[in-house]
Amino acid sequence: MASATSDRDEFFDPFAKSDGPAADEYDPWEPFNSTMFEFNRKVDRFALKPLAQGYDFVVPDAAQIGVSNFFSNLRFVPRFMNNLFQGKVTGAGAEMGRFLINSTLGVGGFLDIATHMDLQTPEEDTGQTLGFYGVAPGPYLVLPLMPPFSLRDAFGYTVDLFLDPINWLVLPLIEVNGVPSAIAHKHRTTTFMIRLGRQVEEVTNDRSLNLEKFQGVEEATLDLYAAVRNAYLQKRAKAVRE
Protein backbone atom coordinates (compact mmCIF):
# COMPACT_ATOMS: atom_id res chain seq x y z
CA MET A 1 0.00 0.00 0.00
CA ALA A 2 1.72 3.13 -1.18
CA SER A 3 2.51 5.49 1.64
CA ALA A 4 -0.01 8.31 1.57
CA THR A 5 1.54 11.58 2.59
CA SER A 6 -0.17 14.88 3.07
CA ASP A 7 -0.52 17.13 0.06
CA ARG A 8 1.44 19.68 2.08
CA ASP A 9 4.61 17.61 1.56
CA GLU A 10 7.22 18.80 -0.90
CA PHE A 11 6.86 17.30 -4.37
CA PHE A 12 9.79 15.30 -5.71
CA ASP A 13 10.25 14.86 -9.45
CA PRO A 14 10.23 11.08 -10.01
CA PHE A 15 12.36 11.45 -13.15
CA ALA A 16 15.06 13.74 -11.75
CA LYS A 17 18.60 12.47 -11.49
CA SER A 18 19.69 11.56 -8.00
CA ASP A 19 22.35 13.86 -6.61
CA GLY A 20 23.57 11.23 -4.19
CA PRO A 21 25.98 8.34 -4.78
CA ALA A 22 24.94 5.54 -7.11
CA ALA A 23 24.71 3.14 -4.16
CA ASP A 24 21.62 5.06 -3.02
CA GLU A 25 19.73 3.51 -5.96
CA TYR A 26 20.79 -0.04 -5.16
CA ASP A 27 17.87 -2.34 -6.00
CA PRO A 28 19.13 -5.95 -6.09
CA TRP A 29 15.72 -7.27 -5.00
CA GLU A 30 13.86 -5.67 -7.90
CA PRO A 31 11.98 -8.85 -8.98
CA PHE A 32 10.57 -9.27 -5.46
CA ASN A 33 10.04 -5.53 -5.02
CA SER A 34 8.20 -5.10 -8.31
CA THR A 35 5.91 -8.04 -7.44
CA MET A 36 5.12 -6.51 -4.05
CA PHE A 37 4.65 -3.12 -5.69
CA GLU A 38 2.04 -4.53 -8.09
CA PHE A 39 0.32 -6.32 -5.21
CA ASN A 40 0.13 -3.10 -3.21
CA ARG A 41 -1.07 -1.22 -6.28
CA LYS A 42 -3.93 -3.68 -6.75
CA VAL A 43 -4.88 -3.40 -3.07
CA ASP A 44 -4.92 0.35 -3.55
CA ARG A 45 -6.94 0.20 -6.77
CA PHE A 46 -9.59 -2.26 -5.62
CA ALA A 47 -9.83 -1.54 -1.88
CA LEU A 48 -8.07 1.55 -0.54
CA LYS A 49 -8.87 4.01 -3.33
CA PRO A 50 -12.63 3.22 -3.41
CA LEU A 51 -12.71 3.44 0.39
CA ALA A 52 -10.88 6.77 0.29
CA GLN A 53 -13.24 8.11 -2.38
CA GLY A 54 -16.25 7.28 -0.21
CA TYR A 55 -14.51 8.77 2.81
CA ASP A 56 -13.70 11.92 0.84
CA PHE A 57 -17.37 12.26 -0.17
CA VAL A 58 -18.52 12.10 3.46
CA VAL A 59 -15.73 13.85 5.37
CA PRO A 60 -15.01 17.56 4.64
CA ASP A 61 -11.47 18.51 3.63
CA ALA A 62 -11.00 20.60 6.79
CA ALA A 63 -11.84 17.58 8.95
CA GLN A 64 -9.43 15.38 6.96
CA ILE A 65 -6.61 17.88 7.51
CA GLY A 66 -7.49 17.95 11.22
CA VAL A 67 -7.27 14.15 11.43
CA SER A 68 -3.90 14.23 9.66
CA ASN A 69 -2.68 16.87 12.12
CA PHE A 70 -3.89 14.76 15.05
CA PHE A 71 -2.00 11.63 13.98
CA SER A 72 1.12 13.68 13.25
CA ASN A 73 0.93 15.19 16.73
CA LEU A 74 0.73 11.71 18.26
CA ARG A 75 4.09 10.81 16.70
CA PHE A 76 5.88 13.61 18.54
CA VAL A 77 8.18 11.45 20.70
CA PRO A 78 10.12 9.63 17.91
CA ARG A 79 10.67 12.95 16.12
CA PHE A 80 11.80 14.64 19.35
CA MET A 81 14.15 11.79 20.27
CA ASN A 82 15.75 11.64 16.83
CA ASN A 83 16.44 15.36 16.93
CA LEU A 84 18.29 14.75 20.21
CA PHE A 85 20.12 11.70 18.79
CA GLN A 86 21.45 13.93 16.01
CA GLY A 87 22.38 16.76 18.36
CA LYS A 88 19.73 19.04 16.88
CA VAL A 89 18.76 20.80 20.09
CA THR A 90 16.93 23.57 18.27
CA GLY A 91 14.88 21.02 16.35
CA ALA A 92 14.07 19.12 19.53
CA GLY A 93 12.94 22.36 21.15
CA ALA A 94 10.76 23.18 18.15
CA GLU A 95 9.18 19.72 18.29
CA MET A 96 8.47 20.13 22.01
CA GLY A 97 6.99 23.56 21.43
CA ARG A 98 4.85 22.31 18.55
CA PHE A 99 3.54 19.43 20.66
CA LEU A 100 2.64 21.61 23.64
CA ILE A 101 0.97 24.30 21.51
CA ASN A 102 -0.94 21.95 19.24
CA SER A 103 -1.99 19.67 22.09
CA THR A 104 -3.49 22.61 24.01
CA LEU A 105 -4.40 25.52 21.74
CA GLY A 106 -4.74 23.12 18.85
CA VAL A 107 -7.42 21.00 20.57
CA GLY A 108 -5.41 17.81 20.96
CA GLY A 109 -3.49 18.36 17.75
CA PHE A 110 -6.39 18.69 15.32
CA LEU A 111 -5.37 22.29 14.62
CA ASP A 112 -1.78 23.01 13.61
CA ILE A 113 -1.51 26.28 15.49
CA ALA A 114 2.29 25.97 15.78
CA THR A 115 2.78 26.24 12.02
CA HIS A 116 0.73 29.44 11.94
CA MET A 117 3.08 30.72 14.64
CA ASP A 118 6.01 29.90 12.29
CA LEU A 119 7.22 27.14 14.61
CA GLN A 120 8.40 24.46 12.20
CA THR A 121 11.26 22.00 11.86
CA PRO A 122 12.06 19.14 9.46
CA GLU A 123 10.72 15.79 10.65
CA GLU A 124 13.36 13.40 11.92
CA ASP A 125 13.22 9.62 12.26
CA THR A 126 15.63 6.81 13.07
CA GLY A 127 16.38 6.11 9.41
CA GLN A 128 17.57 9.69 9.07
CA THR A 129 19.55 9.42 12.30
CA LEU A 130 21.36 6.35 10.98
CA GLY A 131 22.07 8.20 7.74
CA PHE A 132 23.33 11.18 9.75
CA TYR A 133 25.95 8.87 11.32
CA GLY A 134 27.01 7.48 7.96
CA VAL A 135 24.94 4.30 7.65
CA ALA A 136 24.29 3.66 3.96
CA PRO A 137 20.69 3.21 2.78
CA GLY A 138 21.28 -0.35 1.63
CA PRO A 139 18.98 -2.13 -0.81
CA TYR A 140 15.62 -0.67 -1.78
CA LEU A 141 12.75 -2.69 -0.29
CA VAL A 142 9.02 -2.99 -0.93
CA LEU A 143 6.90 -5.01 1.50
CA PRO A 144 3.21 -5.94 1.29
CA LEU A 145 0.82 -3.27 2.62
CA MET A 146 3.73 -1.01 3.60
CA PRO A 147 5.32 2.15 2.22
CA PRO A 148 8.62 1.81 0.31
CA PHE A 149 11.82 1.61 2.33
CA SER A 150 15.54 1.26 2.08
CA LEU A 151 16.86 -1.50 4.34
CA ARG A 152 18.19 1.19 6.69
CA ASP A 153 14.81 2.92 6.81
CA ALA A 154 12.94 -0.34 7.39
CA PHE A 155 15.10 -0.94 10.46
CA GLY A 156 14.59 2.68 11.51
CA TYR A 157 10.83 2.35 11.10
CA THR A 158 10.85 -0.59 13.53
CA VAL A 159 12.94 1.34 16.06
CA ASP A 160 10.55 4.30 15.81
CA LEU A 161 7.66 2.01 16.72
CA PHE A 162 9.38 1.22 20.00
CA LEU A 163 10.39 4.85 20.60
CA ASP A 164 6.70 5.78 20.56
CA PRO A 165 5.36 5.45 24.14
CA ILE A 166 1.83 4.90 22.81
CA ASN A 167 3.04 1.47 21.68
CA TRP A 168 3.92 0.40 25.22
CA LEU A 169 1.92 2.69 27.54
CA VAL A 170 -1.42 2.87 25.73
CA LEU A 171 -1.64 0.20 23.02
CA PRO A 172 1.24 -2.14 23.93
CA LEU A 173 2.95 -4.02 21.10
CA ILE A 174 4.78 -6.21 23.60
CA GLU A 175 4.47 -6.83 27.32
CA VAL A 176 7.11 -5.15 29.48
CA ASN A 177 7.19 -6.30 33.10
CA GLY A 178 6.43 -3.48 35.50
CA VAL A 179 5.33 -1.04 32.79
CA PRO A 180 1.62 -0.20 33.11
CA SER A 181 -0.56 0.39 30.07
CA ALA A 182 -3.97 2.00 29.54
CA ILE A 183 -5.21 -1.29 28.11
CA ALA A 184 -4.05 -4.32 30.09
CA HIS A 185 -1.74 -6.70 28.26
CA LYS A 186 -4.20 -9.54 28.66
CA HIS A 187 -6.70 -7.73 26.44
CA ARG A 188 -4.66 -8.31 23.29
CA THR A 189 -7.72 -8.59 21.04
CA THR A 190 -8.95 -5.18 22.15
CA THR A 191 -5.51 -3.68 21.61
CA PHE A 192 -5.24 -5.25 18.16
CA MET A 193 -8.66 -3.98 17.05
CA ILE A 194 -7.95 -0.43 18.24
CA ARG A 195 -4.55 -0.42 16.54
CA LEU A 196 -6.09 -1.77 13.34
CA GLY A 197 -8.85 0.82 13.42
CA ARG A 198 -6.32 3.60 13.98
CA GLN A 199 -4.17 2.40 11.07
CA VAL A 200 -7.12 2.06 8.69
CA GLU A 201 -8.36 5.54 9.61
CA GLU A 202 -4.94 7.15 9.18
CA VAL A 203 -4.17 5.46 5.85
CA THR A 204 -7.67 6.12 4.48
CA ASN A 205 -7.56 9.74 5.55
CA ASP A 206 -4.12 10.31 3.99
CA ARG A 207 -5.14 8.52 0.78
CA SER A 208 -8.22 10.73 0.59
CA LEU A 209 -6.09 13.87 0.93
CA ASN A 210 -3.98 12.71 -2.02
CA LEU A 211 -6.60 11.37 -4.44
CA GLU A 212 -5.93 13.89 -7.19
CA LYS A 213 -2.14 13.90 -6.82
CA PHE A 214 -1.89 10.10 -6.96
CA GLN A 215 -4.26 9.97 -9.93
CA GLY A 216 -2.17 12.48 -11.85
CA VAL A 217 1.06 10.56 -11.23
CA GLU A 218 -0.51 7.24 -12.26
CA GLU A 219 -1.88 8.67 -15.50
CA ALA A 220 1.35 10.46 -16.47
CA THR A 221 3.85 7.72 -15.62
CA LEU A 222 4.72 4.72 -17.78
CA ASP A 223 7.09 3.02 -15.33
CA LEU A 224 5.38 3.76 -12.02
CA TYR A 225 7.63 1.41 -10.03
CA ALA A 226 10.81 3.23 -11.08
CA ALA A 227 9.17 6.63 -10.58
CA VAL A 228 8.08 5.82 -7.02
CA ARG A 229 11.50 4.38 -6.20
CA ASN A 230 13.29 7.44 -7.59
CA ALA A 231 11.02 9.91 -5.78
CA TYR A 232 11.37 8.01 -2.49
CA LEU A 233 15.17 7.89 -2.68
CA GLN A 234 15.33 11.60 -3.54
CA LYS A 235 13.15 12.47 -0.57
CA ARG A 236 15.13 10.33 1.88
CA ALA A 237 18.53 11.60 0.65
CA LYS A 238 17.34 15.19 1.10
CA ALA A 239 15.96 14.39 4.57
CA VAL A 240 19.33 12.98 5.70
CA ARG A 241 21.18 16.03 4.34
CA GLU A 242 18.92 18.32 6.36
Side-chain angles (χ1 to χ4, degrees):
M1 193 175 302
S3 176
T5 56
S6 167
D7 56 2
R8 293 166 290 173
D9 285 348
E10 179 178 353
F11 176 75
F12 285 82
D13 179 2
F15 304 106
K17 296 294 184 181
S18 172
D19 55 1
D24 286 353
E25 298 180 5
Y26 186 42
D27 190 8
W29 302 327
E30 184 172 355
F32 171 81
N33 288 338
S34 59
T35 299
M36 291 299 99
F37 179 82
E38 287 304 317
F39 170 77
N40 291 342
R41 191 177 178 188
K42 288 180 180 178
V43 171
D44 179 80
R45 179 185 303 167
F46 297 114
L48 180 56
K49 184 177 179 180
L51 178 61
Q53 288 172 326
Y55 180 91
D56 187 60
F57 180 78
V58 174
V59 181
D61 287 349
Q64 293 180 37
I65 292 172
V67 170
S68 180
N69 291 339
F70 172 75
F71 283 120
S72 178
N73 196 57
L74 285 182
R75 292 189 293 272
F76 148 74
V77 173
R79 295 195 303 267
F80 174 77
M81 294 300 297
N82 278 290
N83 270 283
L84 291 181
F85 294 156
Q86 296 177 45
K88 297 179 178 179
V89 178
T90 300
E95 283 289 356
M96 177 64 75
R98 285 182 55 82
F99 178 74
L100 294 176
I101 291 169
N102 288 340
S103 297
T104 53
L105 300 179
V107 195
F110 284 95
L111 301 177
D112 188 1
I113 303 298
T115 293
H116 294 294
M117 298 173 63
D118 201 28
L119 185 58
Q120 301 181 67
T121 185
E123 292 195 8
E124 302 292 344
D125 56 48
T126 300
Q128 290 165 244
T129 297
L130 293 172
F132 176 82
Y133 286 105
V135 177
Y140 182 67
L141 177 64
V142 182
L143 298 173
L145 305 180
M146 295 290 287
F149 291 116
S150 65
L151 189 60
R152 178 192 67 200
D153 292 342
F155 176 79
Y157 176 84
T158 303
V159 173
D160 285 335
L161 289 177
F162 288 95
L163 284 177
D164 190 342
I166 290 177
N167 293 328
W168 41 273
L169 291 177
V170 182
L171 302 171
L173 285 170
I174 59 173
E175 183 173 354
V176 180
N177 290 333
V179 176
S181 62
I183 299 178
H185 295 284
K186 62 182 179 181
H187 299 304
R188 297 190 182 276
T189 300
T190 301
T191 301
F192 172 79
M193 294 305 296
I194 294 175
R195 292 185 61 84
L196 178 63
R198 170 188 168 180
Q199 187 69 17
V200 169
E201 166 62 19
E202 184 172 9
V203 170
T204 302
N205 186 77
D206 284 344
R207 185 64 174 92
S208 178
L209 283 170
N210 289 281
L211 281 170
E212 293 183 1
K213 183 169 72 176
F214 280 24
Q215 183 69 27
V217 171
E218 290 176 347
E219 292 175 350
T221 306
L222 294 177
D223 187 352
L224 191 58
Y225 170 80
V228 169
R229 179 186 60 196
N230 196 7
Y232 171 78
L233 294 174
Q234 283 185 69
K235 181 177 180 178
R236 295 301 294 172
K238 182 177 186 293
V240 170
R241 290 195 301 271
E242 291 177 342

